[in-house]
Amino acid sequence: MRAVVLALTLAFVVNINYVSVPEFAPDKTYVYNYEALLLGGLPQEGLARAGIKVNSKVHLSAVTENTFLMKLMDPLIHEYAGIWPKDPFVPATKLTSALAAQLQIPIKFEYANGVVGKVFAPAGVSPTVLNLHRGILNILQLNLKRTQNIYELQEAGAQGVCRTHYVINEDPKTNHITVTKSKDLSHCQERIMKDVGLAYTERCAECTKRVKSLIETATYNYIMKPSSTGALITEATVEEVHQFSPFNEIHGAAMMEAKQILAFVEIEKTPVVPNKADYMARGSLQYEFSTEILQTPIQLIKISNAPAQIVEVLKHLVVNNVAMVHDDAPLKFVQLVQLLRAATLENIEDIWTQFKNEPVYRRWILDALPAVGTPVIVKFIKEKFLAGELTLPEFIQALVVALQMVTADLDTIQLTASLAWHEKLSTIPALHDVVMLGYGSMIAKHCVEVPTCSAELLGPIHEIAAEATSKNNIPEITLALKVLGNAGHPASLKPIMKLLPGMRTAATSLPLSVQVDAILALRNIAKKEPKLVQPVALQLVLDRSLHPEVRMVACIVLFETKPSVALMSSLAGSLKTETNMQVASFTYSHIKSLTRITAPDMAAVAGAAHVAIKLLSPKLDRLSFQFSRALKFDIYHTPLMVGAAGSAYMINDAATILPRAVVAKTRAYLAGAAADVLEIGVRTEGIQEALLKSPAADESVDRITKIKRTLRALINWKALPTSQPLASAYVKLFGQEVAFARIDRTIIEQLATGPKSRELLKAALKALQEGIALQYAKPLLIAEMRRILPTAVGLPMELSMYSAAVGAASINVQATITPPLPEEIETMTLEQLKKTDVQLQAEARPSIAVHKFAVMGVNTALIQAAVMARGKIRTIAPGKVAVRADILKGNYKVEALPVEVPEHIAAMSFETLAVARNIEDPTAERIVQLVPELSLQNRQTDLSSEILDPEMPPEAPVRASAPFDKTLCLAVPYIEIKGCVEVHSHNAAFIRNDPLFYIIGQHSARATVARAEGPTVERLELEVQVGPRAAERLLKQISLIDEETPEGKAFLLKLREILETEDKNRPISSESNSNSSSSSSSMSSSRVTEVRTRDLYMAHHGSSKAVSSGSAASSFERFQKQAKYLGNTVPPVFVIIARAVRVDRKLLGYQLAAFFDKPSARVQLIASSIAENDNWKLCADGVLLSKHKVTTKVAWGTECQQYAVITKAEAGILGEFPAVRLEWEWEELPILITNYAKKLSKHIPMAALQAGFRFERATNSEKEIELTVALPSKRSLNVIVRVPEMTLSRIAIPLPVTVPINPDGTLSIHIDQDILFRVQNYIYDCTTAQCSMMQDTITTFNNRRYKNEMPISCYQVLAQDCTPELKFVVLLKKDEESEENHLNIKLADINVDLYALGTQAKVKINEMEVPISSLPYQHPSGRSGRRLMVCHFMLLVMGFRKSTLPVIQVADWMKGQTCGLCGKADGEIRQEYTTPSGYLTKNSVSFAHSWVLPAESCRDASQCRMKLESVKLEKQVILNGQESKCYSVEPVLRCLPGCKPIRTTPVTIGYHCLSTLSNLNMLDGIYEKSVDLRETTDAHVACRCSEQCA
C-alpha cells in the first residue's frame, strides 16, 4: 500500500512540475485569432439586446527577454441592436476606419512568469483603444503554481485585484494542460470602478445577504500545450457575466455578457515592428478611465466646437420653452450640461459675456452650470460673484447645487476653502454658512472616494471651533459643529467631545442649543465608526445631571449606532429607575418603535429592542402625548429589495404647548443601497416666551438685592440657568445639512413690526393695476447616479439613472380699478378702498416635462451599446379666470373662462429599448424595442431548459400577448366637458410572471379634455352678494312646501308614493338585511366583554334627557310653524350662486341664500337647484332656544322632504360639572350612508376598547346618536356616546390644553377685548400651571399632593423665580397666635401682604392697607395689579381665604424655572421633592422644611425660632462590621439654642456614617455626602424660647 501511495505522489509531483507558464520565443511571432463580444439585455431569446463585437488578428513577438510587442491586424468593429439571436451584427465601418490607425499601432508590455507588468504605448493611442489592448493582455495574466493544482489568491487584472480560483488539469492523451480560472468580481481587494452621485448613499450589506441586485463573475478557460520554451496557449475563452436587477435577481435580471476567444493560428518569422513614435509608460494592466465621466449614456454627441454647440442648444431651449415647455426640453437640458462639461473655462467665460445681459439666457445658463459638476464651474461661480456679476440669490442657488454635484478632489476642496474664508463672504453670514456647510460635504464626499483621506482637511475647522470656544462665540461654535457633522470624519470626535456636556469639559456653561448641535454632529461619524460613538452617546443618556433634551438627543444618536443586545438591555435596566419622565417616555417609545422595524439593516437592533422592551414596565406605554415620543415606521419588501422608513422625534417640555424640538426623517432602500433622503428639524425653545413675555423685569439692583436678602437663609440655594429665547431649524438632504436658520428675539421683533397688512394690500393693488406679464422656465437635473465598471473586453459597462425636468409657466394678470388709485397710494384710506370696484383677469399656462432614463451597457465617447428604460411625463394645465370685487355694492364674482387646451393635457410613456450608435455614423443609430410587438417566444430558453429530461416533449412556443389598448371617457354633466384617458401597454409577462417582466415593454397613458356634445358653456360663475341687494341676485324664486295647506298635503302624498315605489325596486343587499343581533352576539362572545355601566354620572344623565329633549323639540317646531320660510319676513343676509352659463341661456347650477331673524335668534340656509324642473333643495334651520340650547334641522331632497337630520345641542351643569350634550336624530337617510354606517359599526367595539373606552351593548334608539361631554376639570373630559345597539364611555380623558370654561358652564371669553389680548389670554389660560393649598395639603404645579407640616411663625418659600433674574417670590407662614396663613409676595417694587384678621381678608401693598373695595389694585404705571402681575411676571394670585391658600398660577414660559413648595412646574413628578441645593429627597416633610427661611437668633424680627441643621443619629449603628456614628445629609428643622420644642413631627431622612474611630469632621460638606441608611427622627415645628436665649 505504501508503494502505491508513493507512486501516486511521485506521479502527481511530476505532473505539477510539468505545468509551465506561457512563454513566447524571442525569434518568433505568434499569430492568434481574437474575437470579443459584449452583449447586454435579458437572457431570454426573442427579446432585444445591444452590444459590440470586435474581430482581429493578434500578433505577439518578443523584444527582449521580458518585453513584448502586440499588434492588432485587420480589426473590425460590429454593432448590435436587434432581436436575439435572429438579427445579425452590423459592421461599424466608419468607426473602424477612423480607429484603424490607432488600433494597428503596436503596444509594448512587460511579461514574466505569466504576469503582465507595465504597459507602454505612443501618445497617439487613446485610452479607449489602449483599454481594448488591455482586454487581450488580461487573458495572458496567469499566476500558475508548480506545487498546487487547486488554489485561490487575490489576482491583479484589468478590473482590479479580485479573488481568483484556479483549477489545473492535464490530459495525458492529448498532452494538453487545461487551466480554469474563476473570478468573483463582487469580492475584490481593490475594485476598479467609478461612482457618480452615490457619495451620500450607504451600502446596505444586510439587504444583500439573502438576495442580491448585482452579481459579477468571470470564468477563464485555457488549453495549453507544452513547448520547448514553456507552454503555448492554443486556445483561451473568457465568459464574464454582470447581472443586475433593481429587484431580487430570482425575479429576473438584465445581463451584461462579455465573451472573448483567443485561438492560436500559426507562428511567423516576421517580427512585429514597433511604431516610430516614442513609447510612454501608460500604467499597468488595470483599466484606465478616460472621458466616460463626461459622456452621458443617454445620448452620443460629437463635440467638434463646444462653444458653438452650447449656443445652439441654449437658443433651442430659450425659443421653445416660452408659452409652454417643449416635449424634449429635459433631454436638451442634459445635452447642454454635457456640452458644458466639455467646455473650458475660457469657453464658458465667452458664453457668459455674450448672454449675461439677456435675462432669459442668463437664467438658463445659471441653472445649467451647477449641474455640470466640474471644478471649472465652482471656480467660474466664485470669480463672477467676487466680480459682482452675480446677485446674492443667484450665487446661493448656483453654489449650493454646484457644491453637491462637483467631484470632490483636493483641488476643489481647497477652492471651496478659499471661498469660505474670503473676506467678502464673511460680511454675509447666511452665505458664509452655506459655503461652510458645503465645505464639510465636500470632505465627506472626498472621504468616500478616498477612505484614507487625511484629517488635516478638517484642521481649519478644528481651529475655528477651539478659538470660538475660547471667545464664547456661540454662532461660530454652532457653525463649526455643523461643518464637522457634515464631514463625519472620525478625527473630529475629540474636538466635538470637548463641546459635549458631562465630559469634564466647560461645555456645561454653553447654551443648550450648542450642546444639542455637538451631539448631532456625531451622527455621520457613527455611520463610519459606531463603536467609537456608542460609549459617548450612552454616557450622555445615562448622565441624569444633564438637561433632558440633551439626553434625548443622545438617545437618538445611540440608536443610530445600532446597539447590541447587551447595550440595549443595560439601557433598559437604567430606565427602570429613571426619574425624568420625559427621558423615560422618549427612550421607551423609541425602543418600542424599533421592535416594529423590518428593514434588514436594523434587524439586529429590532431583535435587541424586543429583549429590552420585556424588561420595562408597560405603564410607560400609557403616558400621554404631553411627554416626549419617538416614532419609527418602515416598510420593506425583501423580494423586490425596495423599502422606505420614517422617523419622527418629538421632544416635549412641560413649559410650553409647543414641542421643544421636532425632528422628522425619511429613509429609502433600493437595490441593496440605503440613503437618508430628507430630514427636517425644528427647535422651538423660547419662541412662546418671546411671543408672550412682556418686556423684561426691572433689573434694578435694589429689587434683586431685596429678594436675595430674603432668600439668603436657604441652605445652598442654586439658581436655575436662564434660557434665552431662541429657535432654530435645519434641513438635511442625503444626510448632509444644506441650510439652517437661527431665530432670536431680534428677528421676531422685526417680523412683528414689519409692514402692515393695509400697506401690503395697497402695494398689491398697484402692481395689479399696472399689469403683470411673466414667462418663466426652470430646468433641474433631479438625479444623476452612475456606476462605471470595466469589463474583460476592455470596454466600460455603465449602470446609470438620470432624471431631468423642465417647468415653464406663462402668466398674465391685468386689473382694472374704479375709481383709479391715487398717485400717492400711501394716502389712500380704508373708506376709499371700500368704494372701489376691482376687476381682475388672469390667465396662466403652467406646464412641466420630466424625462427619466435607466441605462445598462457600454458607454464611451466613440460608441454606445446599451439597453435603456426611458420614461416621459408631460403635463399642461391652462386656466383663465376673471374676478370682480365691487366692495361698495357687496358683490364678488369669480368666473372661469374658456381657454385653448392642447390635444393632450397629460401624457406619460415608458419604454425599454436596445440602442447602438457610434460617433462616426450618427445617422446609423439603431433603436429596437426590447419586447417586440409580435414574435414567437420560448417561455424558458436559459440554462434551466438544458437540464430537463430529454425524453420530455419540448415546450410549445408561446406567442407574445397582444398589446393592451383601452380608452376611458367621462363626461361632466352641465358644463359639457368630456375627459378621456387612452392607455396602451405591452410587456413581457408572457415569458415569466415576475415584476421585471411586467415592467419591460411599452406603456403609455394620455389624457385629453374636450367639449362634449351639447350646448357650449361660455363660462363658470361663482357669485357672492352681501347686503340688502342679495335678494335681487336670486335666479330662482325660493318657496317651501307648507305641510298644513291642502296643496302641501297633496304634494307630500304624491312624493311618498314615488319614494315607496323606488324602495320596492331597489335591490336589497344581503349585508343590509343581515341579522344584527347574531353578529352582535358573536362579536360579544369572541372579542368584547360586556361591562355594565354603574357610575352615577350616566344614571343622572339618563334621568334628565327626556324632559330637555321634549321641550327643545316643541320650541323648535313652534318657531318653524310661525315662519316656515324666513325669506317671507326678512331679506337674505347673503346669496351665493354657482352656475354654468351656456349659449342657450338655460339655467344650470345652484344658489344658496342665508337668512337671519334677530328677534327669534334663528338662522336659515337654503340651497336649491336653479334648473327649471329641478326641485332639489337643502334646508338648514337653526334656532338659539336659550343661552344653553341650540336646535338645528338639516333636510334635503325634493322640496327638502326626502331626508332630514335634527341636531340638538345643550350646555349646562350635569351633576357638579359643566357639560354639553349633542343629539342627532333622523327619520330617513340615503341608503349609501346607512350601508357604510353598518359596515363601520362592526369595527366600533374593538376601536373603542383600544382607545380606552368602556363598551356596553344597549337597546338605544335605532335612529339617534347622542354624545355627552362633561368637564370635571379644565384639562379633562368625561365622555358618553350612545349609538344604536351600543354605549361607549370613558372618564377623565386628559386634554392637551385648558378649556376656557367657567364652573357654571359658560365660556370665559370676553368679546369686548381686542383679539390679540384674547389670544394671549387664551394661551395663558391653556398653559398656566396652578398651585393651591387646602387645609395642610398642597397641590403642586405638577398636580402632586402632599401634606405640609408648617412650622409656626417661619416663612416658607411657596414659589419663586429660580433664575438669576429673581422676578418674584411668594412666601407663606402660619401665624403664631391665630395659626392662620399669612402670604407675602415680592415682585418688582411691590411688596404685598395677604392675611386674615378675624373673618376678614386683609391686603397690604407696600405696608399700606388697601380696602377690598379698591381692588384690583392700580399700579402707578397705570396698569391694574392683576394685569401687572400677568404681563410682567406671569404670576397670578387669587382667592385668599382663612384656611385655604390662594391659587398660584405661573405662565407657560416660567414653567421649569420656578421652585419652592409648589415645585418646578416641569411635569417631572418623580423629581418633585427637590431641595434648594438641588438634592432630591424622598420625604415630603423633609422637602417642605428645606424651603423654610430659618432665623439667625431667637430675637429675629420675623418671630421665627427655628433653624435647619444636620442631626446625629442617636442610636448605635453597626455598619460594615464597625460601630459608626451617623449624621443626616438632609437638614432637619430644630429649635434655636435656648428654645424648646412644643410640637414635633416625624421625618424620614438619609444619614451618612463613619467609623467612631475616625477623626474626620463629619459636618464638613455633610449635605453632599452619600446616603448609607434612612431613619426617622423628629423635626420641630413649634418652639418656645426663654428670655435668656441667644
Side-chain angles (χ1 to χ4, degrees), residues 241-538:
V241 174
H242 301 262
Q243 184 174 287
F244 174 79
S245 173
F247 317 118
N248 187 347
E249 78 278 1
I250 65 173
H251 297 301
M255 179 186 293
M256 199 72 187
E257 188 178 10
K259 291 185 178 180
Q260 291 174 286
I261 300 176
L262 186 68
F264 176 72
V265 177
E266 61 180 350
I267 296 177
E268 294 181 354
K269 295 293 184 179
T270 307
V272 177
V273 179
N275 193 279
K276 295 181 180 180
D278 294 336
Y279 277 77
M280 303 166 56
R282 300 286 292 272
S284 63
L285 184 60
Q286 289 188 353
Y287 181 88
E288 178 187 355
F289 283 99
S290 177
T291 58
E292 294 89 341
I293 304 299
L294 302 178
Q295 176 65 47
T296 61
I298 60 178
Q299 56 187 341
L300 188 60
I301 304 173
K302 187 173 185 178
I303 303 176
S304 54
N305 185 347
Q309 290 173 283
I310 290 170
V311 171
E312 181 185 352
V313 175
L314 189 59
K315 288 182 177 179
H316 178 278
L317 288 168
V318 171
V319 172
N320 292 282
N321 293 276
V322 180
M324 59 182 176
V325 68
H326 195 273
D327 186 45
D328 70 347
L331 186 61
K332 281 290 182 181
F333 178 68
V334 175
Q335 184 178 342
L336 176 63
V337 171
Q338 182 177 341
L339 290 169
L340 286 169
R341 286 174 179 170
T344 63
L345 181 59
E346 290 75 16
N347 296 150
I348 298 173
E349 289 272 8
D350 295 339
I351 294 170
W352 174 256
T353 303
Q354 181 180 354
F355 294 109
K356 67 179 180 180
N357 295 322
E358 300 184 36
V360 180
Y361 285 89
R362 179 188 180 100
R363 286 201 304 267
W364 277 98
I365 293 172
L366 290 176
D367 286 332
L369 285 176
V372 174
T374 60
V376 170
I377 299 304
V378 178
K379 185 177 181 181
F380 173 81
I381 294 172
K382 172 188 173 183
E383 291 178 354
K384 294 307 164 189
F385 175 71
L386 296 180
E389 297 184 27
L390 294 180
T391 64
L392 185 59
E394 288 176 338
F395 178 65
I396 292 177
Q397 172 193 312
L399 189 67
V400 168
V401 179
L403 292 180
Q404 301 303 320
M405 298 287 291
V406 71
T407 304
D409 54 25
L410 292 176
D411 292 337
T412 312
I413 292 174
Q414 293 302 324
L415 181 63
T416 309
S418 66
L419 180 61
W421 280 283
H422 195 278
E423 57 181 9
K424 185 172 182 178
L425 267 70
S426 61
T427 61
I428 311 172
L431 186 55
H432 177 65
D433 294 348
V434 168
V435 179
M436 290 293 287
L437 292 175
Y439 178 73
S441 299
M442 293 281 288
I443 295 175
K445 288 197 296 181
H446 175 67
C447 292
V448 171
E449 293 287 335
V450 185
T452 58
C453 58
S454 173
E456 294 180 359
L457 296 172
L458 287 164
I461 308 300
H462 294 164
E463 294 174 3
I464 290 175
E467 183 180 355
T469 304
S470 64
K471 296 180 179 179
N472 201 30
N473 188 337
I474 303 304
E476 281 296 310
I477 298 174
T478 301
L479 180 59
L481 287 171
K482 291 180 179 294
V483 175
L484 295 178
N486 273 1
H489 199 289
S492 299
L493 183 59
K494 287 187 177 180
I496 293 174
M497 287 180 64
K498 293 179 181 179
L499 299 171
L500 292 176
M503 295 293 173
R504 296 181 182 178
T505 64
T508 51
S509 62
L510 294 173
L512 183 62
S513 60
V514 175
Q515 299 177 23
V516 169
D517 287 334
I519 298 172
L520 291 177
L522 298 173
R523 296 171 75 186
N524 281 338
I525 300 176
K527 292 178 181 179
K528 299 177 181 178
E529 298 291 345
K531 298 301 181 184
L532 292 178
V533 176
Q534 271 182 6
V536 177
L538 182 62

Side-chain angles (χ1 to χ4, degrees), residues 1198-1214:
T1198 305
E1199 296 294 345
C1200 293
Q1201 299 295 328
Q1202 281 184 270
Y1203 311 106
V1205 176
I1206 297 176
T1207 303
K1208 302 172 185 177
E1210 183 177 3
I1213 305 299
L1214 191 58

Side-chain angles (χ1 to χ4, degrees), residues 1157-1177:
D1157 185 24
K1158 191 172 182 180
S1160 61
R1162 183 180 172 191
V1163 175
Q1164 190 175 57
L1165 298 175
I1166 298 179
S1168 60
S1169 171
I1170 62 175
E1172 184 177 356
N1173 297 319
D1174 192 347
N1175 292 325
W1176 184 93
K1177 290 185 178 69

Side-chain angles (χ1 to χ4, degrees), residues 1118-1126 1129 1162 1164 1181:
R1118 185 177 68 252
F1119 277 109
Q1120 282 200 316
K1121 287 181 180 180
Q1122 290 175 358
K1124 180 72 174 179
Y1125 172 45
L1126 282 181
T1129 56
R1162 183 180 172 191
Q1164 190 175 57
D1181 217 337

Side-chain angles (χ1 to χ4, degrees), residues 1314-1329:
D1314 63 89
I1315 294 177
L1316 180 60
F1317 178 77
R1318 282 160 60 188
V1319 171
Q1320 288 183 333
N1321 207 35
Y1322 173 72
I1323 295 176
Y1324 169 74
D1325 289 338
C1326 290
T1327 58
T1328 53

Side-chain angles (χ1 to χ4, degrees), residues 945-961:
S945 63
E946 299 177 8
I947 62 174
L948 296 176
D949 189 346
E951 296 182 1
M952 292 182 61
E955 189 173 2
V958 179
R959 181 172 295 276
S961 59

Side-chain angles (χ1 to χ4, degrees), residues 891 893 1021 1023-1025 1029-1036 1135 1137 1139 1151:
N891 184 263
K893 183 185 290 186
E1021 281 187 2
E1023 183 177 2
V1024 178
Q1025 178 66 55
R1029 298 186 181 184
E1032 301 173 6
R1033 304 304 301 175
L1034 289 173
L1035 299 178
K1036 186 178 180 180
V1135 169
I1137 301 172
R1139 65 167 181 157
Q1151 64 183 14

